């Protein structure tokens, strides 16, 4: 069995607060929200990070972005930020590809 936390969440082996699900991806609320709205969108199949995106799995990433647009529209989020950290120095702590979607407050630029 995979020891990956987000593989377990996608499989329903670890509880999470679901936002959206289909056969390709799963979205759930971040356990430590950094904005009034903060959810994560992950592929169900394990990909380590954006650094592992290639011609074979790029369609999954494209699909995830259509889901982000649709879910944000349904939630009435007009302005939001999508973030993916790649590697420890950039702040990645879970090594299963995920896109943070943050909304509901003023954002600063550049990010820290
Ligand atoms: P990152 O640090 O960019 O790899 O993002 C990982 C995110 O996963 C962090 O924002 C955590 O708060 C979040 N996280 C960790 N464990 C869980 C969990 N069990 N359920 C929901 N979110 C989680
Ligand atoms: Zn995984």
């Amino acid at each position: 069995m995979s020891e990956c936390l987000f593989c377990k969440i996608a499989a329903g082996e670890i509880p999470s607060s679901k936002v959206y699900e289909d056969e390709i991806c799963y979205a759930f609320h971040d356990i430590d929200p950094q904005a009034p709205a903060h959810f994560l969108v992950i592929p169900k199949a394990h990909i380590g990070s954006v650094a592992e995106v290639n011609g074979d799995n790029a369609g999954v990433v494209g699909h995830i972005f259509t889901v982000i647009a649709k879910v944000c529209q349904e939630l009435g989020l007009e302005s939001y930020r999508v973030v993916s950290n790649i590697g420890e120095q950039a702040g990645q702590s879970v090594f299963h590809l995920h896109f943070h979607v943050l909304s509901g407050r003023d954002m600063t630029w550049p990010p820290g």
Side-chain angles (χ1 to χ4, degrees):
M1 194 209 299
S2 171
E3 289 305 309
C4 171
L5 172 64
F6 284 179
C7 280
K8 289 182 175 174
I9 285 178
E13 294 165 9
I14 289 177
S16 62
S17 174
K18 181 163 87 171
V19 173
Y20 173 88
E21 180 173 20
D22 62 29
E23 63 281 359
I24 296 169
C25 69
Y26 183 68
F28 56 106
H29 290 108
D30 197 292
I31 203 167
D32 181 21
Q34 301 300 312
H38 183 183
F39 61 90
L40 305 172
V41 189
I42 64 174
K44 288 192 168 176
H46 183 89
I47 299 170
S49 76
V50 167
E52 293 182 15
V53 174
N54 56 43
D56 292 334
N57 60 24
V60 171
V61 177
H63 175 76
I64 284 174
F65 274 82
T66 69
V67 166
I68 289 171
K70 176 178 141 79
V71 170
C72 286
Q73 193 172 25
E74 288 175 357
L75 294 176
L77 304 178
E78 293 180 353
S79 183
Y80 50 91
R81 183 170 287 178
V82 180
V83 175
S84 193
N85 299 319
I86 298 99
E88 285 180 17
Q89 189 177 30
Q92 187 176 8
S93 61
V94 178
F95 291 83
H96 178 126
L97 177 65
H98 51 283
F99 295 94
H100 296 259
V101 182
L102 302 121
S103 185
R105 65 166 169 82
D106 293 341
M107 303 281 169
T108 59
W109 190 265

Short mmCIF file of all heavy atoms in Angstrom, two decimals, residues 19-23 25 27 39 41 61-78 80 82 101:
data_model
loop_
_atom_site.label_atom_id
_atom_site.label_comp_id
_atom_site.label_asym_id
_atom_site.label_seq_id
_atom_site.Cartn_x
_atom_site.Cartn_y
_atom_site.Cartn_z
N VAL A 19 -14.40 18.77 -1.48
CA VAL A 19 -14.95 19.92 -2.22
C VAL A 19 -15.49 19.46 -3.56
O VAL A 19 -16.53 19.92 -4.03
CB VAL A 19 -13.86 20.99 -2.43
CG1 VAL A 19 -14.33 22.11 -3.35
CG2 VAL A 19 -13.38 21.55 -1.08
N TYR A 20 -14.79 18.50 -4.18
CA TYR A 20 -15.14 18.03 -5.53
C TYR A 20 -14.42 16.70 -5.76
O TYR A 20 -13.32 16.49 -5.24
CB TYR A 20 -14.69 19.05 -6.58
CG TYR A 20 -14.86 18.55 -8.00
CD1 TYR A 20 -16.06 18.73 -8.70
CD2 TYR A 20 -13.83 17.86 -8.64
CE1 TYR A 20 -16.22 18.25 -9.98
CE2 TYR A 20 -13.99 17.37 -9.93
CZ TYR A 20 -15.18 17.56 -10.59
OH TYR A 20 -15.35 17.07 -11.86
N GLU A 21 -15.02 15.84 -6.56
CA GLU A 21 -14.36 14.58 -6.91
C GLU A 21 -14.84 14.09 -8.26
O GLU A 21 -16.02 14.22 -8.60
CB GLU A 21 -14.67 13.50 -5.85
CG GLU A 21 -14.03 12.15 -6.13
CD GLU A 21 -14.22 11.16 -5.00
OE1 GLU A 21 -15.16 11.36 -4.17
OE2 GLU A 21 -13.46 10.18 -4.93
N ASP A 22 -13.94 13.57 -9.07
CA ASP A 22 -14.31 12.81 -10.26
C ASP A 22 -13.31 11.67 -10.40
O ASP A 22 -12.54 11.39 -9.46
CB ASP A 22 -14.42 13.71 -11.51
CG ASP A 22 -13.10 14.39 -11.88
OD1 ASP A 22 -12.03 13.82 -11.61
OD2 ASP A 22 -13.16 15.49 -12.47
N GLU A 23 -13.31 11.00 -11.53
CA GLU A 23 -12.45 9.81 -11.67
C GLU A 23 -10.97 10.17 -11.78
O GLU A 23 -10.11 9.30 -11.56
CB GLU A 23 -12.90 8.96 -12.86
CG GLU A 23 -12.79 9.62 -14.22
CD GLU A 23 -13.91 10.59 -14.56
OE1 GLU A 23 -14.84 10.78 -13.75
OE2 GLU A 23 -13.85 11.17 -15.66
N CYS A 25 -9.50 13.39 -10.44
CA CYS A 25 -8.94 14.25 -9.39
C CYS A 25 -9.86 14.36 -8.19
O CYS A 25 -11.02 13.96 -8.23
CB CYS A 25 -8.60 15.63 -9.95
SG CYS A 25 -10.03 16.62 -10.42
N ALA A 27 -10.62 17.13 -4.77
CA ALA A 27 -10.38 18.43 -4.14
C ALA A 27 -10.93 18.39 -2.72
O ALA A 27 -12.02 17.85 -2.47
CB ALA A 27 -11.06 19.54 -4.95
N PHE A 39 -8.48 25.39 -0.57
CA PHE A 39 -8.61 23.95 -0.82
C PHE A 39 -7.50 23.49 -1.75
O PHE A 39 -6.79 24.30 -2.36
CB PHE A 39 -10.01 23.60 -1.35
CG PHE A 39 -10.41 24.22 -2.65
CD1 PHE A 39 -10.16 23.59 -3.86
CD2 PHE A 39 -11.08 25.44 -2.67
CE1 PHE A 39 -10.57 24.15 -5.07
CE2 PHE A 39 -11.49 26.01 -3.87
CZ PHE A 39 -11.22 25.37 -5.07
N VAL A 41 -6.31 20.66 -4.83
CA VAL A 41 -6.78 19.77 -5.89
C VAL A 41 -5.62 18.85 -6.25
O VAL A 41 -4.51 19.32 -6.54
CB VAL A 41 -7.27 20.53 -7.12
CG1 VAL A 41 -7.95 19.58 -8.09
CG2 VAL A 41 -8.22 21.66 -6.73
N VAL A 61 -3.23 17.30 -15.61
CA VAL A 61 -3.03 18.66 -15.10
C VAL A 61 -4.00 19.62 -15.79
O VAL A 61 -4.61 20.48 -15.14
CB VAL A 61 -1.57 19.10 -15.30
CG1 VAL A 61 -1.37 20.54 -14.84
CG2 VAL A 61 -0.63 18.16 -14.55
N GLY A 62 -4.17 19.47 -17.09
CA GLY A 62 -5.14 20.30 -17.80
C GLY A 62 -6.54 20.11 -17.24
O GLY A 62 -7.29 21.08 -17.04
N HIS A 63 -6.89 18.86 -16.96
CA HIS A 63 -8.20 18.58 -16.38
C HIS A 63 -8.35 19.25 -15.03
O HIS A 63 -9.41 19.82 -14.72
CB HIS A 63 -8.39 17.06 -16.26
CG HIS A 63 -9.67 16.69 -15.57
ND1 HIS A 63 -10.89 16.77 -16.19
CD2 HIS A 63 -9.91 16.29 -14.30
CE1 HIS A 63 -11.84 16.41 -15.34
NE2 HIS A 63 -11.27 16.13 -14.18
N ILE A 64 -7.30 19.18 -14.21
CA ILE A 64 -7.36 19.79 -12.88
C ILE A 64 -7.65 21.29 -13.00
O ILE A 64 -8.44 21.84 -12.23
CB ILE A 64 -6.06 19.52 -12.10
CG1 ILE A 64 -6.06 18.07 -11.59
CG2 ILE A 64 -5.87 20.51 -10.95
CD1 ILE A 64 -4.77 17.62 -10.94
N PHE A 65 -7.07 21.94 -13.99
CA PHE A 65 -7.32 23.37 -14.14
C PHE A 65 -8.75 23.66 -14.60
O PHE A 65 -9.34 24.68 -14.20
CB PHE A 65 -6.26 24.03 -15.04
CG PHE A 65 -5.05 24.44 -14.26
CD1 PHE A 65 -4.06 23.52 -13.95
CD2 PHE A 65 -4.92 25.74 -13.78
CE1 PHE A 65 -2.95 23.89 -13.18
CE2 PHE A 65 -3.83 26.12 -13.02
CZ PHE A 65 -2.84 25.19 -12.72
N THR A 66 -9.34 22.78 -15.39
CA THR A 66 -10.75 22.97 -15.72
C THR A 66 -11.61 22.81 -14.47
O THR A 66 -12.61 23.51 -14.29
CB THR A 66 -11.24 22.01 -16.83
OG1 THR A 66 -11.29 20.68 -16.34
CG2 THR A 66 -10.37 22.09 -18.06
N VAL A 67 -11.21 21.89 -13.59
CA VAL A 67 -11.95 21.68 -12.34
C VAL A 67 -11.81 22.90 -11.44
O VAL A 67 -12.78 23.35 -10.82
CB VAL A 67 -11.45 20.39 -11.64
CG1 VAL A 67 -11.93 20.33 -10.20
CG2 VAL A 67 -11.92 19.16 -12.42
N ILE A 68 -10.60 23.45 -11.33
CA ILE A 68 -10.40 24.64 -10.51
C ILE A 68 -11.31 25.76 -11.00
O ILE A 68 -12.01 26.41 -10.21
CB ILE A 68 -8.91 25.06 -10.54
CG1 ILE A 68 -8.06 24.05 -9.75
CG2 ILE A 68 -8.74 26.48 -9.96
CD1 ILE A 68 -6.55 24.26 -9.90
N ALA A 69 -11.34 25.99 -12.30
CA ALA A 69 -12.18 27.07 -12.84
C ALA A 69 -13.65 26.82 -12.54
O ALA A 69 -14.39 27.73 -12.12
CB ALA A 69 -11.95 27.19 -14.35
N LYS A 70 -14.10 25.58 -12.73
CA LYS A 70 -15.52 25.23 -12.51
C LYS A 70 -15.90 25.34 -11.04
O LYS A 70 -16.93 25.92 -10.70
CB LYS A 70 -15.74 23.80 -13.02
CG LYS A 70 -17.11 23.20 -12.82
CD LYS A 70 -17.09 21.80 -13.45
CE LYS A 70 -17.83 20.74 -12.67
NZ LYS A 70 -19.27 20.78 -12.86
N VAL A 71 -15.08 24.80 -10.16
CA VAL A 71 -15.39 24.82 -8.73
C VAL A 71 -15.39 26.26 -8.20
O VAL A 71 -16.28 26.65 -7.45
CB VAL A 71 -14.41 23.93 -7.94
CG1 VAL A 71 -14.56 24.14 -6.44
CG2 VAL A 71 -14.61 22.45 -8.29
N CYS A 72 -14.40 27.04 -8.62
CA CYS A 72 -14.35 28.44 -8.16
C CYS A 72 -15.57 29.20 -8.65
O CYS A 72 -16.15 30.01 -7.91
CB CYS A 72 -13.06 29.11 -8.61
SG CYS A 72 -11.62 28.55 -7.67
N GLN A 73 -15.99 28.94 -9.88
CA GLN A 73 -17.19 29.59 -10.40
C GLN A 73 -18.41 29.20 -9.56
O GLN A 73 -19.21 30.04 -9.17
CB GLN A 73 -17.39 29.20 -11.85
CG GLN A 73 -18.41 30.03 -12.59
CD GLN A 73 -18.41 29.73 -14.08
OE1 GLN A 73 -18.04 28.64 -14.52
NE2 GLN A 73 -18.82 30.68 -14.87
N GLU A 74 -18.51 27.90 -9.25
CA GLU A 74 -19.65 27.42 -8.45
C GLU A 74 -19.64 28.00 -7.04
O GLU A 74 -20.69 28.21 -6.44
CB GLU A 74 -19.65 25.90 -8.42
CG GLU A 74 -20.05 25.29 -9.75
CD GLU A 74 -19.93 23.77 -9.79
OE1 GLU A 74 -19.47 23.17 -8.80
OE2 GLU A 74 -20.28 23.19 -10.84
N LEU A 75 -18.45 28.21 -6.49
CA LEU A 75 -18.33 28.76 -5.13
C LEU A 75 -18.44 30.28 -5.13
O LEU A 75 -18.42 30.90 -4.07
CB LEU A 75 -16.99 28.34 -4.51
CG LEU A 75 -16.81 26.84 -4.23
CD1 LEU A 75 -15.40 26.56 -3.72
CD2 LEU A 75 -17.86 26.34 -3.23
N GLY A 76 -18.52 30.87 -6.31
CA GLY A 76 -18.64 32.33 -6.39
C GLY A 76 -17.32 33.05 -6.14
O GLY A 76 -17.32 34.24 -5.80
N LEU A 77 -16.22 32.35 -6.32
CA LEU A 77 -14.90 32.97 -6.12
C LEU A 77 -14.48 33.62 -7.44
O LEU A 77 -14.26 32.95 -8.44
CB LEU A 77 -13.87 31.90 -5.71
CG LEU A 77 -14.23 31.08 -4.46
CD1 LEU A 77 -13.14 30.04 -4.19
CD2 LEU A 77 -14.45 31.97 -3.25
N GLU A 78 -14.38 34.94 -7.42
CA GLU A 78 -14.03 35.67 -8.64
C GLU A 78 -12.54 35.96 -8.72
O GLU A 78 -11.98 36.14 -9.80
CB GLU A 78 -14.82 36.97 -8.72
CG GLU A 78 -16.31 36.72 -8.91
CD GLU A 78 -17.10 38.02 -8.97
OE1 GLU A 78 -16.52 39.09 -8.74
OE2 GLU A 78 -18.32 37.94 -9.24
N TYR A 80 -8.82 34.63 -7.10
CA TYR A 80 -8.17 33.58 -6.31
C TYR A 80 -6.77 33.35 -6.82
O TYR A 80 -6.39 33.81 -7.90
CB TYR A 80 -8.99 32.28 -6.34
CG TYR A 80 -9.41 31.78 -7.71
CD1 TYR A 80 -8.61 30.90 -8.43
CD2 TYR A 80 -10.62 32.18 -8.26
CE1 TYR A 80 -9.01 30.43 -9.67
CE2 TYR A 80 -11.02 31.73 -9.51
CZ TYR A 80 -10.21 30.85 -10.21
OH TYR A 80 -10.60 30.39 -11.44
N VAL A 82 -3.74 30.33 -7.42
CA VAL A 82 -3.43 28.91 -7.55
C VAL A 82 -1.92 28.77 -7.39
O VAL A 82 -1.16 29.45 -8.09
CB VAL A 82 -3.88 28.35 -8.92
CG1 VAL A 82 -3.54 26.86 -9.02
CG2 VAL A 82 -5.37 28.58 -9.12
N VAL A 101 -5.64 26.30 -3.87
CA VAL A 101 -6.52 27.37 -4.35
C VAL A 101 -6.89 28.22 -3.13
O VAL A 101 -7.47 27.70 -2.16
CB VAL A 101 -7.78 26.83 -5.04
CG1 VAL A 101 -8.64 27.98 -5.56
CG2 VAL A 101 -7.41 25.88 -6.19
#
